[in-house]
Amino acid sequence: MPPIYVKPENALKRSEELLALGTPQSQQQAFENLVEVFQSKKFKHTPVAILEPIVFKFLDLCVEMNRKAHARQALLQYKNAVQTTSVASIEKVLNYFIAQAESRLTAATEQAKAEVAALPENPVVDDELPLQPTALLLDTFVDSVGDRERIERRLIAPAQKFCWDAYDISLDIAKSNDRLEVIYQSVAHRAFEFCKVHQRKSDFRRLCEQRLRKDLTNAAKYGHQQHAINLSDPETLGRFLDTRFLQLETAVELELWQEAFRSVEDVHGLVASGKKVAKPAMMANYYEKLTQIFKAEGGKQTAVFHAAAWTRYFQYAERAGISNEKAPGSVLLSALAVPLGEVETKQRLIALLNLPKMPTRESLVKDAASKHAKRVPADIRQIYQILEVDFQPTTACKNLAPLITSLAPEYQPYLPALREVVLSRLVQELAQVYDTVTLSHILNLVKPFDNTPWATEKSSLEKFLMTACRRGDINASVDHVAQTITFVTSNAQPNRLSDLAIVLYNTIQYLNPAPVTSRADAFAAALAQAEEERKQIAHRRQIVNKRRELMEEANLRKQREESTALAERLKIKAAEDERKAKEAAKQAEVDRLRKQMDDARRAEAEQLAKQLADKGALKVDIKNIEDLDSSKLVALQVEQLAKEKREHAERLRIVGKRVDHLERAMRKEERPLLADDYEKQKVEDKAAHERLNVEAKLLAIQQQKAAVDLKARLGRMLPDYITARDNVESQREAEFKIARERARAKVDEEKKKLRDRLVERKRAEKAQREKEQREIEERERREAEEAEARAAEEAARAEEEARVAAKIEARNAEAAERAAAAKAAREAQRAKDLEDARARIAREEEAERRRAERASGAGTYRRPGAGGPGASAPSPAADSGASATAPTPAFAPTKVPGGGGGWRERAAAKAAAEANGTASPTATPSSPAPAPAPAAGNADGENANATPASGGKWVPRRGRGGGALPPSGGRTASGRGW
């Protein structure tokens, strides 16, 4: 009987009544009632207005009872039920679920704070209190844990875990659906805030890798499906970019630099895939995070990318109007802080910065100086002048010392890198003038840095020189013994004469400068040049605006063409899919009919094959035979039976012949050795018996001697043992009395406590039983009312079922009659087939028997005649009886009446017979009368049954067909029947 369907609104009302009782059992029952609503097949057809309160109540119970699996299943079913009618309801339910989880976390936090505040400053530990299992387990696995941590772990940790699961479940429900994309992004933002507030770094990694990044990949992979995420939509792409920028910001705040780098790659991929250019403010935020990532991860290796990120940031920040006054100084200082040597090219980072080629220090410094030299503070501008415009090795350090101490705190992180650049530039300038320089001279040049962050000692200077040589910034060698540095001049360096010529020309120009124009002419020329530059800039601006308009028009035209082409392709694809579907349906129908015909034919053949196998033992594998039919199966059966008969007859012939020859040879060889073996065995048995007796006697003597020695040794120790035992027993008895008194006192105390607890528990149980009794009576009253209503419904349903059962019974009776008739016909056909098979088998057995009689000659087996004297001729009656006896197979064993025993008995009987001389050598003491003479019609009988006078042994004729064998009871010389 199917379960009774309960309306969802009734189930909700019933659950609210159970929850009003306030007991765990009623809460569990209310939860199970709502679970049945979600498991009902009519859930999808229930209106949204009725389902929403049920889902809210069910989510409340899931949050309170920590049932995240049930919450996931319920939200998934609710989404499948209402996603085509009310998307806003799904958003409302998801927001409610997350709000409940967050409120539970807030309540747990407040409760933990209250319990921590109520803790005493000096807690009292009572060692007599019994240990609880949870406290014992916690103390075992957590060392030095305080009450505060225990309270937070007990209250806050489960709430945080469930809150995180709520975010994950909501993202799983709203993923890969363009109608739920807004709620998906909002839940992701709330999850980022949760990770940032509670410092959940592992959860943040899992959220980015296993949820957001995977969902974005699936959205691009299954973009052809209905309601898939369309990243070509500017609004959708903007929301995804906002989420990725928030993800990047959260990763930077959590100092997860690897995850921040992956987030940068995600942003770059979205920007590159989008057709619409991102907003300048968004790109400025992107490059700002890149500056933090490169500075945190790369160090000197990515200093050039850090400076390039600052340059790109300032471009977009200035365009968006969000740049601050410190940004130009950071741009110029970051460019100056790039090392002088070559930097490794990294295409991945170049792509993230959207640069056409690898940035260099010269290009970055030149660009920053041309654009920001007048905006930066005076001290940074002086640093630039000293380092890049007019670097004097003798005065550079003296001029730089007061500047680096006056830098603003925002620029202090660039000082270590700038120190490396200053020292490298100093050494390079010295290398152009000197071949060898003492370390003390360089220390004197950098002595103004002693009271600054750039203070340089001898050890740090040597370390810098070795590092610079290894990087390739300078080409020199350090002599630590002589305390000098020798610069190595490369053969590829230009000729010094050209440098000398340049220096001389500059000197002449300084001593005898060319006449200059007047101030008025220079001012007029400057005005004309400024006007010309203004016109060029205005012309360039017009060209840029025109190009921008043309590009926008081209993009719009391209989008329209792509949308038209896409619609045409979709139309063609739909027509092609419809045509393929029709062809596939037609082909499937043809295949189905063909398969039905083949199955019917094969089933008929298999049924016939099974009948033949049951009757005639058909041993051919039916499953491996194709195109079965009745004639082929009958032919296979006949062929199988004939083959088995031939193989069986051949095996019998070979085995019988082999056994005859083998047994005859074995008996012939063992006959002369039996007596000697018996004598030899008697001697060996006697010697073994005597040897074992001697060994057992010696072993018993040794054991008795060892036992006597052991007893003597233990006897000397016995007094000491008795004294020690008495001392230990007296001490143990005193301790036992003390422990028994303590235990008795403790038992009395525990009995008193147990008695008090039992009295209190009995009172509580009595009150509980009275309360349950009242509830049971109330429930029975309601159940009686419901039973009366159900009885009326059951009566109507039973009447309807009776009518239906009568119709079904009539149809079953007709079907049974048809089945009985068909079964009778099959039984008659089966009996006829069985009778035919029996008759055929009987004919084949009769033919086989006749062939065996013809092959055996007279059809009887005869026992060879006795060769000894006194052998009497057989009587005619015995002859006739022997001829009438059925033939015995040559391989069948025979049994000798009264015979038996071992080989010793048979040897003794043979020796006694030879001594008496009353029997032939071939007869045993219990052998019967000799066999009758062969029939007159047997041409080979005389030679076959004749006994040679020399040995008196029976020699069978060649072949097995017409030879006579000993009858039942006959024996050979060894006493065994052939």
Side-chain angles (χ1 to χ4, degrees), residues 440 479 510 600:
S440 60
D479 189 351
Y510 178 76

Side-chain angles (χ1 to χ4, degrees), residues 323-584:
S323 63
N324 54 15
E325 58 182 7
K326 301 293 184 181
S330 298
V331 174
L332 184 56
L333 275 181
S334 63
L336 291 174
V338 176
L340 296 179
E342 295 292 333
V343 182
E344 181 183 357
T345 303
K346 297 183 178 180
Q347 296 295 335
R348 189 177 179 185
L349 301 182
I350 295 173
L352 289 179
L353 289 169
N354 295 320
L355 295 175
K357 60 180 180 180
M358 178 70 185
T360 60
R361 185 181 186 278
E362 290 76 12
S363 61
L364 291 172
V365 171
K366 183 178 179 181
D367 183 68
S370 62
K371 294 181 180 179
H372 311 297
K374 297 181 180 180
R375 303 182 187 180
V376 298
D379 50 359
I380 297 178
R381 187 162 52 249
Q382 292 179 12
I383 292 174
Y384 165 73
Q385 292 290 335
I386 294 172
L387 285 178
E388 300 297 330
V389 179
D390 186 15
F391 186 82
Q392 298 295 332
T394 56
T395 60
C397 298
K398 186 183 299 183
N399 297 331
L400 287 172
L403 297 177
I404 61 176
T405 57
S406 62
L407 280 177
E410 293 81 2
Y411 307 132
Q412 293 293 328
Y414 294 104
L415 290 180
L418 280 174
R419 173 182 173 273
E420 302 289 335
V421 173
V422 170
L423 292 178
S424 299
R425 180 60 59 86
L426 178 62
V427 175
Q428 288 180 358
E429 292 294 332
L430 293 175
Q432 293 181 4
V433 180
Y434 304 103
D435 290 336
T436 303
V437 179
T438 61
L439 295 178
S440 60
H441 180 64
I442 300 177
L443 288 174
N444 290 331
L445 293 177
V446 299
K447 191 173 182 180
F449 294 151
D450 287 348
N451 297 325
T452 65
W454 288 0
T456 304
E457 299 178 354
K458 185 178 179 180
S459 58
S460 61
L461 178 62
E462 291 181 353
K463 182 179 179 181
F464 163 74
L465 291 174
M466 299 302 296
T467 305
C469 292
R470 185 175 65 252
R471 288 202 309 257
D473 297 345
I474 59 175
N475 192 4
S477 60
V478 179
D479 189 351
H480 296 280
V481 177
Q483 296 295 309
T484 60
I485 176 172
T486 303
F487 300 104
V488 180
T489 303
S490 176
N491 296 329
Q493 187 176 2
N495 194 355
R496 291 295 182 89
L497 293 177
S498 61
D499 298 339
L500 180 61
I502 293 173
V503 173
L504 290 176
Y505 176 77
N506 294 333
T507 305
I508 292 172
Q509 291 294 328
Y510 178 76
L511 296 175
N512 189 14
V516 297
T517 58
S518 64
R519 184 178 181 85
D521 294 339
F523 188 72
L527 288 177
Q529 185 178 1
E531 183 65 21
E532 184 66 24
E533 290 180 355
R534 187 187 64 78
K535 292 180 180 180
Q536 291 179 0
I537 291 173
H539 181 64
R540 260 197 318 271
R541 187 178 293 110
Q542 291 178 0
I543 293 174
V544 170
N545 292 334
K546 186 65 175 177
R547 287 181 179 175
R548 186 180 295 112
E549 293 175 359
L550 293 176
M551 289 179 64
E552 291 179 357
E553 292 178 359
N555 289 334
L556 291 175
R557 185 168 57 254
K558 185 178 179 181
Q559 290 179 3
R560 287 195 297 269
E561 291 176 357
E562 288 181 354
S563 61
T564 305
L566 179 61
E568 188 66 23
R569 287 197 301 272
L570 292 176
K571 183 178 179 181
I572 295 173
K573 184 179 179 181
E576 183 68 19
D577 293 342
E578 184 178 1
R579 184 183 62 80
K580 289 182 179 180
K582 290 182 180 179
E583 292 180 357

Side-chain angles (χ1 to χ4, degrees), residues 2 9 39 64 215 270 310 422 434 673 708 829 912 963:
E9 53 269 24
Q39 293 176 352
E64 186 176 354
D215 292 346
L270 286 174
W310 265 117
V422 170
Y434 304 103
L673 302 175
V708 171
Q829 183 65 27

Side-chain angles (χ1 to χ4, degrees), residues 1 94 218 308 327 341 366 394 416 496 500 505 532 565 577 622 633 640 650 652 670 729 791 799 821 867 954 962 972:
M1 182 176 178
L94 292 178
N218 292 335
K366 183 178 179 181
T394 56
R496 291 295 182 89
L500 180 61
Y505 176 77
E532 184 66 24
D577 293 342
I622 302 174
L633 289 173
Q640 182 75 16
E650 182 65 19
L652 290 180
E670 76 177 356
E729 287 180 353
E799 184 178 356
W954 171 72
T972 61

Side-chain angles (χ1 to χ4, degrees), residues 792-808:
E793 295 178 0
E794 289 293 338
R797 190 183 298 111
E799 184 178 356
E800 181 64 24
E801 289 178 356
R803 291 195 299 269
V804 174
K807 295 180 181 179
I808 294 173

Side-chain angles (χ1 to χ4, degrees), residues 107-282:
T109 305
E110 295 298 332
Q111 183 180 357
K113 289 181 180 179
E115 292 189 8
V116 169
L119 289 175
E121 296 182 359
N122 297 322
V124 179
V125 180
D126 190 359
D127 295 334
E128 297 297 330
L129 292 177
L131 286 176
Q132 298 296 328
T134 56
L136 181 62
L137 185 64
L138 190 61
D139 291 339
T140 303
F141 289 95
V142 182
D143 297 333
S144 302
V145 61
D147 294 335
R148 183 188 304 274
E149 288 77 7
R150 291 184 180 182
I151 292 172
E152 292 179 354
R153 188 177 295 106
R154 176 171 55 86
L155 297 176
I156 300 178
Q160 285 183 348
K161 181 66 171 63
F162 188 86
C163 188
W164 168 252
D165 292 333
Y167 291 130
D168 185 69
I169 291 170
S170 301
L171 290 173
D172 189 25
I173 296 299
K175 69 179 180 180
S176 302
N177 194 328
D178 59 344
R179 296 174 296 182
L180 299 175
E181 189 258 334
V182 176
I183 185 64
Y184 179 86
Q185 304 297 343
S186 65
V187 172
H189 294 176
R190 297 171 77 169
F192 290 149
E193 186 66 23
F194 170 81
C195 295
K196 185 165 55 176
V197 170
H198 299 281
Q199 293 294 310
R200 309 278 290 190
K201 296 184 178 182
S202 59
D203 290 340
F204 179 76
R205 293 193 192 96
R206 188 161 58 248
L207 172 65
C208 297
E209 185 66 28
Q210 300 180 6
R211 178 57 61 194
L212 299 180
R213 202 166 288 126
K214 184 178 179 181
D215 292 346
L216 182 61
T217 304
N218 292 335
K221 183 178 179 181
Y222 302 105
H224 60 281
Q225 295 182 354
Q226 188 180 10
H227 301 300
I229 300 296
N230 184 17
L231 295 177
S232 301
D233 186 9
E235 296 182 359
T236 302
L237 181 61
R239 284 191 290 268
F240 268 90
L241 283 175
D242 292 339
T243 301
R244 291 309 183 275
F245 278 117
L246 183 59
Q247 173 184 336
L248 176 59
E249 182 179 353
T250 307
V252 172
E253 291 185 8
L254 293 175
E255 296 183 356
L256 299 174
W257 303 113
Q258 293 184 355
E259 193 59 44
F261 190 80
R262 295 192 187 98
S263 302
V264 168
E265 290 183 333
D266 295 342
V267 173
H268 180 265
L270 286 174
V271 172
S273 63
K275 297 181 180 180
K276 187 178 179 180
V277 181
K279 298 178 182 180
M282 190 178 297

